[in-house]
Amino acid sequence: MPAVKKAVIPAAGMGVRFLPATKAQPKEMMPIVDKPTIQYIIEEAVHSGIEDILIITGRHKRAIEDHFDRSPDLEEQLLAKGKMELLELVQDIGEMVDIYYVRQKEPRGLGHAVYCARKFIGQEPFAVLLGDDIVRSRVPCLKQLMDLYEEMPGTILGVQEVDIREVGKYGIVDAEPLRDGVYRVRDLVEKPSPQEAPSRLAIMGRYIIHPRIFEILAETPPGAGGEIQLTDALRVLCREQPVYALVFKGRRYDVGDKLGYLKAMVEFALDRPDLGEEFASYLKELVRGL
Ligand code: G1P
């Protein structure tokens, strides 16, 4: 299969878990420290070697397009005030990568959102990154999948082990170990109960997928939650051709969940050279008083 150059980022969800913050702003624009969550995702894709990105948007998502565009008024003001560092920061965002947009007109699930990318992708293998999963790692998470793809071209799912009580939140794989951290997927199930779960290996929002998925998605009926599930289509795919699961290295945050979001905020702030030290002493003092 050819190299993976294109990525799809579904961002059409309503963000109900973060209301009222997401009433008039996309959840993807919620910041971790001072950067919107979707920018972390785009940076991961770019640092993994992706050249073109398609964001699947919906209504009320204009702020995402504006964020990755140039902003002449702001740039002019920053220049006039001599704030060169901020100017560079703002300009860099606009020039990071070529981003395209398509709208998912009805919320029909992740599988349907990915299906909206079929014309953009054509016949190439492509990456999918889900915005609720942010990964902090030495090698970018998607890059780890791309490196495995070089060696074992096929569909690759980024997975991590979760507690058995958590399996109902994820797509879970039934997989046969090939070597340390690499599995061949035999089957998948979307959001199983702990009794039904074939393993504790959960799909964590990073995929490299063969374009055959589009033909399968076209015929995939609604599944869990009445939505067209990507997992259901992958299930068909893994019977036809190799699908692997890679246990990627890194700490992953579910920023679509309030507690996960707070954890990400605290840990990313602690990592920051300009904030970390002061924030750590504040936290220590706070904890002492609890
Ligand atoms: C989606 C996928 C699921 C995957 C999860 C990762 O679920 O359907 O297979 O494990 O993302 O975050 P969602 O969280 O959108 O319900």
Side-chain angles (χ1 to χ4, degrees):
M1 285 214 283
V4 182
K5 295 285 175 210
K6 293 179 182 171
V8 177
I9 303 178
M14 299 274 284
V16 282
R17 286 195 283 176
F18 271 92
L19 282 169
T22 50
K23 183 162 177 272
Q25 99 174 309
K27 68 170 176 176
E28 293 79 10
M29 291 302 293
M30 300 266 294
I32 296 176
V33 190
D34 49 12
K35 204 191 277 185
T37 55
I38 193 161
Q39 193 177 332
Y40 288 91
I41 302 286
I42 300 265
E43 287 176 1
E44 181 188 323
V46 172
H47 295 148
S48 301
I50 291 295
E51 292 175 4
D52 295 301
I53 293 178
L54 178 71
I55 302 184
I56 315 290
T57 66
R59 276 183 293 145
H60 311 305
K61 300 283 182 171
R62 285 292 286 277
I64 299 177
E65 289 177 44
D66 290 342
H67 182 73
F68 292 105
D69 196 0
R70 294 293 295 266
S71 41
D73 302 353
L74 177 63
E75 287 174 28
E76 220 169 86
Q77 275 193 37
L78 292 172
L79 183 66
K81 290 187 178 148
K83 303 202 173 203
M84 304 317 279
E85 256 179 58
L86 284 178
L87 177 64
E88 206 176 308
L89 186 84
V90 164
Q91 284 176 335
D92 283 354
I93 299 171
E95 280 166 9
M96 222 178 301
V97 65
D98 284 330
I99 304 181
Y100 305 81
Y101 300 88
V102 66
R103 277 196 180 202
Q104 182 185 19
K105 294 182 187 71
E106 317 156 69
R108 292 177 58 197
L110 178 60
H112 180 255
V114 170
Y115 185 67
C116 294
R118 64 195 181 282
K119 289 187 187 149
F120 176 79
I121 298 295
Q123 285 307 310
E124 298 170 38
F126 63 102
V128 174
L129 300 98
L130 303 188
D132 281 348
D133 300 293
I134 301 250
V135 182
R136 223 167 95 232
S137 54
R138 196 177 52 78
V139 179
C141 181
L142 180 62
K143 177 79 169 56
Q144 298 178 39
L145 269 67
M146 305 266 260
D147 289 345
L148 179 65
Y149 176 87
E150 292 269 300
E151 199 190 315
M152 298 162 75
T155 293
I156 300 178
L157 316 177
V159 300
Q160 278 194 340
E161 211 164 85
V162 295
D163 192 284
I164 189 72
R165 285 167 301 190
E166 302 268 291
V167 290
K169 289 194 199 164
Y170 301 99
I172 302 290
V173 301
D174 175 10
E176 169 197 342
L178 293 180
R179 63 168 200 239
D180 202 24
V182 181
Y183 295 78
R184 168 91 190 229
V185 176
R186 283 188 292 237
D187 201 358
L188 305 99
V189 42
E190 181 67 11
K191 304 196 170 73
S193 67
Q195 294 76 28
E196 293 161 337
S199 77
R200 293 194 289 127
L201 291 174
I203 305 173
M204 291 304 186
R206 297 294 182 276
Y207 312 76
I208 289 174
I209 308 180
H210 188 281
R212 161 83 179 119
I213 200 78
F214 295 117
E215 289 159 10
I216 299 174
L217 279 169
E219 291 174 3
T220 302
E227 297 189 331
I228 297 175
Q229 296 291 347
L230 180 60
T231 302
D232 292 343
L234 288 167
R235 195 169 185 202
V236 176
L237 189 71
C238 81
R239 292 195 199 112
E240 291 181 5
Q241 48 170 272
V243 174
Y244 305 106
L246 170 70
V247 183
F248 60 83
K249 294 192 170 65
R251 187 154 159 71
R252 168 257 173 196
Y253 303 87
D254 176 6
V255 297
D257 169 76
K258 280 177 200 155
L259 197 57
Y261 180 72
L262 287 171
K263 288 180 187 170
M265 184 80 92
V266 170
E267 293 182 35
F268 277 83
L270 285 171
D271 255 3
R272 285 273 295 254
D274 57 337
L275 290 169
E277 215 174 299
E278 235 179 291
F279 188 50
S281 33
Y282 160 77
L283 283 181
K284 281 182 201 153
E285 206 170 301
L286 188 73
V287 169
R288 247 181 264 132
L290 284 181

